[in-house]
Amino acid sequence: MSSSTVSLYLDPQIRDWVLFPITVVMILVGILRHYVVLLLQSQPKKIPRHAIREQRALIRSQILRATSANSPLPPTYYKVISQHLSQAFADGTYLKDGPPKGDASSSTPPNPLTDPAAMDGMMAGMKTQMVMMVPQMVIMGWINFFFQGFVLIKLPFPLTLGFKSMLQRGVETPDMDVRWVSSLSWYFLNFFGLNGLYRLILGGENSADSSRDMATPFAAAAAATPGQAQDYNKLFKAERDNLEFSEGLHEWIANDVDTRILKKYGRLPAEAK
C-alpha cells in the first residue's frame, strides 16, 4: 500500500447499525411494495360481447385474406364469404355501437378519456408508479439524514479511479481508496442489485423490480395513458378494399389435385403430359 493511501478501520457497530439495516430495509420495502401493488390491482373488466364480435370480425377477414394465395376454400365459397364480410362491413353490422348515423366520414374519433375502462387503466398505472417511487424517495431521505458521510464496506477486488464518484457519493476525500463504499452508494448498489433476490423470492413477474423506478414522471404518464382508440368503422372500410383486391388473387389449393397426385407417383398418362 502506498503512503498516500489512507488506511481505515471500521467500527463493527457500523456494520451492525448501518450496513445491515439499510440492506434489510430495502429488501423488506421491495417485498412490501410487491404485495401493495397486488392489492391495488383491480380485477380486469370483461369485454362486452359486441366489442369482442367487432374485433373478431376484423381478424376473420384478415385470416381470409392471408390464405387467399393458397386457400382451402373453393372459389365459390371464398367469394361468398368475402362478399358477405364486405357487405357487413359496409352496413356496419359488426360495429359494437351499431351502424353509424349520418355521414360516417365526418364523425370524430372516439375520445379515450371518456371511456371509463381507459380512465381506470390510467388511475391504476398512476397508483402503481406512486407505490414504486415514493418508498425509494423516503429511503434515500432516511439514509441522507441519518447516515450521511458513513463509510460502510470495502470491496475485495481492485477498481479504477473512474468508480470513485459512483462508490463514494457523499464522501469528498480524494485520497481514499476507491474500493470503499459510502452509505448513499450502498443504497444505489442495492437499488440495482436486489432484483435477482426479488426474482428468487417473489418470482420473475414481481412488482419489486427497482428498474421500473427509472421511469421518469413523463414516461410513467405515457405508459399509463392509453393510446388513441381504434375507429373500427374506418378499419372496416379499408378492409373492404383489401377483400376486393384479394378476390383476384385467390387460388384454390385443390386445383388440378388429381393431376398433381398422379404426376407425383408417376401414374400420369402419357397423353396428359
Side-chain angles (χ1 to χ4, degrees), residues 222-235:
T225 303
Q228 183 67 38
Q230 290 183 323
D231 188 352
Y232 276 90
N233 190 25
K234 294 182 178 179
L235 292 176

Side-chain angles (χ1 to χ4, degrees), residues 164-182:
K164 190 174 183 65
S165 61
M166 182 179 68
L167 296 179
Q168 296 178 4
R169 289 180 176 271
V171 181
E172 303 295 336
T173 52
D175 54 349
M176 183 182 295
D177 191 354
V178 183
R179 293 180 292 174
W180 290 104
V181 181
S182 65

Side-chain angles (χ1 to χ4, degrees), residues 39-53:
L39 290 175
L40 291 177
Q41 289 178 351
S42 58
Q43 292 293 332
K45 294 185 177 181
K46 294 183 179 180
I47 303 177
R49 182 176 62 88
H50 295 291
I52 297 177
R53 183 168 175 257

Side-chain angles (χ1 to χ4, degrees), residues 146-163:
F146 288 101
F147 308 125
Q148 185 176 12
F150 277 71
V151 177
L152 305 184
I153 192 173
K154 186 178 183 180
L155 299 179
F157 46 84
L159 295 170
T160 62
L161 291 176
F163 290 91

Side-chain angles (χ1 to χ4, degrees), residues 195-269:
N195 296 334
L197 181 62
Y198 290 144
R199 286 193 292 269
L200 183 63
I201 298 175
L202 303 173
E205 297 295 331
N206 64 80
S207 301
D209 192 351
S210 300
S211 61
R212 301 181 184 180
D213 299 330
M214 295 301 294
T216 63
F218 301 101
T225 303
Q228 183 67 38
Q230 290 183 323
D231 188 352
Y232 276 90
N233 190 25
K234 294 182 178 179
L235 292 176
F236 286 162
K237 286 184 177 181
E239 192 64 23
R240 287 185 60 200
D241 298 334
N242 295 333
L243 284 173
E244 184 179 356
F245 178 74
S246 64
E247 285 185 14
L249 302 177
H250 177 264
E251 183 178 350
W252 188 26
I253 193 174
N255 278 336
D256 301 327
V257 62
D258 51 348
T259 303
R260 285 188 276 123
I261 292 177
L262 292 174
K263 184 178 180 181
K264 179 179 179 180
Y265 293 100
R267 301 295 183 177
L268 187 64

Side-chain angles (χ1 to χ4, degrees), residues 40-205:
L40 291 177
Q41 289 178 351
S42 58
Q43 292 293 332
K45 294 185 177 181
K46 294 183 179 180
I47 303 177
R49 182 176 62 88
H50 295 291
I52 297 177
R53 183 168 175 257
E54 182 182 57
Q55 298 172 4
R56 296 298 185 269
L58 185 62
I59 295 176
R60 181 186 178 189
S61 175
Q62 293 172 350
I63 294 175
L64 184 67
R65 289 191 296 104
T67 59
S68 62
N70 200 13
S71 177
L73 297 175
T76 54
Y77 290 100
Y78 183 91
K79 187 175 182 180
V80 169
I81 296 174
S82 177
Q83 291 178 353
H84 169 74
L85 288 174
S86 180
Q87 186 62 37
F89 292 159
D91 298 338
T93 305
Y94 293 116
L95 292 176
K96 63 179 179 180
D97 298 326
K101 299 178 181 179
D103 187 8
S105 60
S106 61
S107 60
T108 58
N111 186 2
L113 298 179
T114 60
D115 186 3
M119 293 299 296
D120 292 343
M122 292 176 60
M123 292 302 298
M126 291 180 182
K127 288 188 292 186
T128 302
Q129 288 297 327
M130 291 298 294
V131 173
M132 300 291 284
M133 296 175 62
V134 171
Q136 298 301 334
M137 296 170 60
V138 173
I139 293 176
M140 183 180 291
W142 169 62
I143 293 175
N144 275 331
F145 185 80
F146 288 101
F147 308 125
Q148 185 176 12
F150 277 71
V151 177
L152 305 184
I153 192 173
K154 186 178 183 180
L155 299 179
F157 46 84
L159 295 170
T160 62
L161 291 176
F163 290 91
K164 190 174 183 65
S165 61
M166 182 179 68
L167 296 179
Q168 296 178 4
R169 289 180 176 271
V171 181
E172 303 295 336
T173 52
D175 54 349
M176 183 182 295
D177 191 354
V178 183
R179 293 180 292 174
W180 290 104
V181 181
S182 65
S183 58
L184 189 57
S185 296
W186 182 249
Y187 159 77
F188 284 109
L189 290 177
N190 284 274
F191 182 83
F192 294 105
L194 289 177
N195 296 334
L197 181 62
Y198 290 144
R199 286 193 292 269
L200 183 63
I201 298 175
L202 303 173
E205 297 295 331

Side-chain angles (χ1 to χ4, degrees), residues 8-25:
L8 296 179
Y9 299 94
L10 297 182
D11 192 332
Q13 293 187 3
I14 294 179
R15 175 197 61 196
D16 299 337
W17 297 103
V18 182
L19 178 66
F20 288 165
I22 291 176
T23 306
V24 172
V25 165

